[in-house]
Amino acid sequence: MDEPNISMRQIRKQISELLSICERSIHTIIKAYNETKTVPVAKTTRNKKSFRDLFDDFSKNAVRRHVHSIWFRREIPTIDKIHQAVSADDSLPTVSRTNLFHLLKDLDFRYSKRSRNSAMTEKNEIVGWRRTYLDSIRKYREEGRHIYFLDETWVNAGDCTSKTWVDTTVRSHRDAFLKGLSTGAVNPSGKGKRLIVLHIGSEDGFVPGGLLCFESKKNTSDYHDEMNGDTFREWMEGTLPRLKPNSVIVMDNASYHSVKIDKAPTSNTRKADIIKWLEDKGEVVDRTMVIPQLLLIVKRLKPQHNRYVIDELAKNSGYTVLRLPPYHCELNPIELAWSSVKNHVRMNNTTYKLPDVKKLLVEGIDRVDSQMWKHFISHTKKEEIKFYEVDNIIDEMLSAEKDDLLMTITGDTSSETDSDTE
């Protein structure tokens, strides 16, 4: 060495600078080597999935139904009762009590303190949105307007049935060859490529020519990432002429369904642009106001100017858009249609090649006729009635809780009133 008298500390420092590793790590490695005569291998950490990744829209919807089922029993849905119900549902992922609490908050439930119980209730905005939707669709049906339902889904090249009959007497490929038998179905190596699918239907069935199907380009778990406002608008422009006049179009509130014509300013907007937006809306602005004051005015005016590209496109063609409340896919009968289509793909997919899967997809869509659609819509109407009922039950029970609490605090009970009059 050029410097035979260099200290161990200086060696560690030079190695640290050379490898861009902190001196403490160098010290730990050298110490471990002196003790075991082996260089320790750095532990690699895997990116652990969040519990939120395990719950798709259908699973979230199932959790909501469990909460409502407790209300239907006229019980207060505490977090323990909900966790017990979710844990007993084999179709749902395993989730801890704490993570379930966070999931419920994601679903816009809130933790409400009551007189004797702590209840999980939905936010007023969600309940109000749902009631408005239910009232609107009921009104449109009474008016005799034709109602269409649209939604997106996906199909993987590797989708296949999870169970099949297996001949357990066949021990190997050679055994199968000698007996003149097969070794059974070949399993896919993975989910494979994905098709993104968009369609629209009504009690008459899927709308002819309304299918949009394309190969996914992104390797993400959420198929919504594949769609955008421009793609959806172009599809809608081509689909509207295929619909009956004066119809209603039901869709969810996905971001690409809800592109705004005039986006309202936010805290990231320049002050001059906020003022211009307000003045364009006819507001007289005091220019000495600071941004937080201006944003308060924006918040007040915003609901009056929430206009969506798709809504205006439909309106100009004589149609009405009706949006589902978040995480209420059971109110959209096309979800049942998709379930039937996907089942056809899974039951008949043997090649796991995307072109073949696309053919199966089209076959599955053709199999869902108007009679099936009528059945799906009938089922959805029953779900609508359930929501009406559960909202009324919750309202009644929580009102009773408040009344009971008020009576306890004031002491204004019937027995006390009777004793006072004696």
Side-chain angles (χ1 to χ4, degrees):
M1 293 180 66
D2 295 337
E3 301 178 57
N5 297 323
I6 189 172
S7 67
M8 181 58 70
R9 184 168 186 175
Q10 289 174 313
I11 292 175
R12 288 200 301 267
K13 185 176 181 181
Q14 289 184 11
I15 294 174
S16 173
E17 293 174 353
L18 182 65
L19 300 179
S20 299
I21 301 175
C22 68
E23 289 188 47
R24 179 178 289 276
S25 297
I26 301 295
H27 172 75
T28 302
I29 293 171
I30 294 174
K31 182 180 178 181
Y33 178 78
N34 290 334
E35 293 174 353
T36 63
K37 301 304 178 184
T38 59
V39 178
V41 179
K43 293 182 179 180
T44 57
T45 57
R46 293 182 178 179
N47 292 328
K48 187 177 180 181
K49 280 190 174 182
S50 165
F51 71 92
R52 290 181 173 88
D53 298 326
L54 303 176
F55 284 82
D56 57 16
D57 288 350
F58 293 99
S59 298
K60 292 175 182 177
N61 184 52
V63 172
R64 185 186 298 277
R65 286 201 302 271
H66 280 302
V67 178
H68 285 191
S69 67
I70 297 173
W71 282 114
F72 271 122
R73 298 198 302 267
R74 293 188 173 273
E75 299 176 10
I76 298 294
T78 62
I79 188 67
D80 289 324
K81 289 181 181 178
I82 301 170
H83 186 242
Q84 183 179 5
V86 170
S87 299
D89 189 340
D90 295 334
S91 67
L92 292 176
T94 302
V95 62
S96 68
R97 184 181 183 276
T98 301
N99 286 342
L100 177 61
F101 182 86
H102 293 304
L103 181 65
L104 289 167
K105 292 185 72 175
D106 292 345
L107 293 174
D108 284 325
F109 282 89
R110 62 183 179 182
Y111 192 55
S112 303
K113 289 284 186 179
R114 298 296 171 187
S115 59
R116 295 183 302 275
N117 301 284
S118 298
M120 294 301 299
T121 59
E122 290 171 290
K123 288 184 179 178
N124 293 335
E125 294 84 353
I126 297 298
V127 177
W129 188 334
R130 181 169 64 231
R131 296 293 285 201
T132 300
Y133 172 83
L134 295 174
D135 290 340
S136 297
I137 198 166
R138 176 178 289 184
K139 178 174 73 74
Y140 293 142
R141 288 192 183 115
E142 291 173 351
E143 293 172 353
R145 298 179 68 177
H146 200 78
I147 301 176
Y148 291 94
F149 301 87
L150 68 83
D151 194 28
E152 300 81 14
T153 190
W154 78 98
V155 179
N156 292 316
D159 284 347
C160 60
T161 180
S162 59
K163 291 186 178 181
T164 186
W165 289 102
V166 178
D167 187 348
T168 58
T169 65
V170 177
R171 304 295 182 183
S172 64
H173 286 277
R174 183 175 182 277
D175 188 26
F177 174 76
L178 293 175
K179 293 178 179 179
L181 302 174
S182 73
T183 56
V186 178
N187 291 324
S189 57
K191 291 184 177 180
K193 295 181 179 180
R194 173 185 289 181
L195 291 174
I196 306 300
V197 189
L198 168 61
H199 216 327
I200 184 170
S202 69
E203 61 182 13
D204 294 336
F206 278 111
V207 175
L211 173 64
L212 173 65
C213 181
F214 59 91
E215 182 180 341
S216 168
K217 301 299 181 184
K218 297 181 181 179
N219 186 24
T220 61
S221 59
D222 190 355
Y223 67 92
H224 291 99
D225 294 341
E226 301 287 340
M227 291 291 290
N228 58 59
D230 292 336
T231 302
F232 183 71
R233 189 192 71 251
E234 290 174 8
W235 173 84
M236 181 65 86
E237 288 173 343
T239 301
L240 287 176
R242 305 175 187 275
L243 308 183
K244 293 183 177 181
N246 194 35
S247 298
V248 177
I249 305 169
V250 175
M251 65 182 75
D252 61 27
N253 65 326
S255 58
Y256 44 85
H257 294 167
S258 308
V259 177
K260 294 182 180 179
I261 294 176
D262 183 15
K263 292 184 178 180
T266 66
S267 56
N268 294 325
T269 308
R270 294 189 309 122
K271 182 176 181 178
D273 293 333
I274 299 175
I275 293 174
K276 184 179 184 305
W277 188 88
L278 290 171
E279 289 178 340
D280 288 345
K281 303 297 178 288
E283 194 74 12
V284 178
V285 180
D286 180 357
R287 292 179 176 269
T288 63
M289 286 184 173
V290 294
I291 290 178
Q293 289 178 297
L294 295 172
L295 289 176
L296 287 175
I297 303 175
V298 170
K299 185 178 180 180
R300 174 171 57 82
L301 296 177
K302 189 176 176 180
Q304 306 170 27
H305 301 279
N306 266 344
R307 295 167 59 230
Y308 299 103
V309 172
I310 294 301
D311 294 49
E312 293 301 310
L313 177 65
K315 182 180 178 181
N316 293 337
S317 299
Y319 302 99
T320 301
V321 171
L322 180 61
R323 280 184 170 75
L324 289 158
Y327 303 114
H328 283 69
C329 57
E330 71 267 49
L331 296 179
N332 194 344
I334 200 173
E335 298 292 354
L336 298 173
W338 285 141
S339 178
S340 176
V341 171
K342 288 185 173 184
N343 185 60
H344 177 77
V345 173
R346 285 193 294 267
M347 295 298 292
N348 295 279
N349 187 11
T350 56
T351 66
Y352 314 122
K353 295 179 180 178
L354 210 58
D356 295 334
V357 169
K358 186 173 182 179
K359 290 179 182 178
L360 291 174
L361 172 73
V362 174
E363 287 177 10
I365 290 173
D366 291 339
R367 287 167 58 90
V368 181
D369 57 17
S370 60
Q371 196 62 35
M372 293 176 69
W373 263 94
K374 286 183 174 67
H375 175 72
F376 298 152
I377 292 173
S378 175
H379 176 82
T380 302
K381 288 179 180 178
K382 294 176 183 177
E383 294 295 322
E384 293 172 8
I385 293 172
K386 286 182 181 179
F387 274 118
Y388 264 116
E389 291 175 350
V390 77
D391 285 341
N392 291 333
I393 290 172
I394 294 172
D395 199 52
E396 175 189 333
M397 291 185 66
L398 295 185
S399 296
E401 286 274 311
K402 290 179 180 178
D403 291 342
D404 185 48
L405 177 62
L406 181 62
M407 291 171 67
T408 303
I409 293 174
T410 61
D412 184 17
T413 63
S414 58
S415 60
E416 290 173 336
T417 304
D418 292 341
S419 63
D420 289 341
T421 58
E422 291 179 354

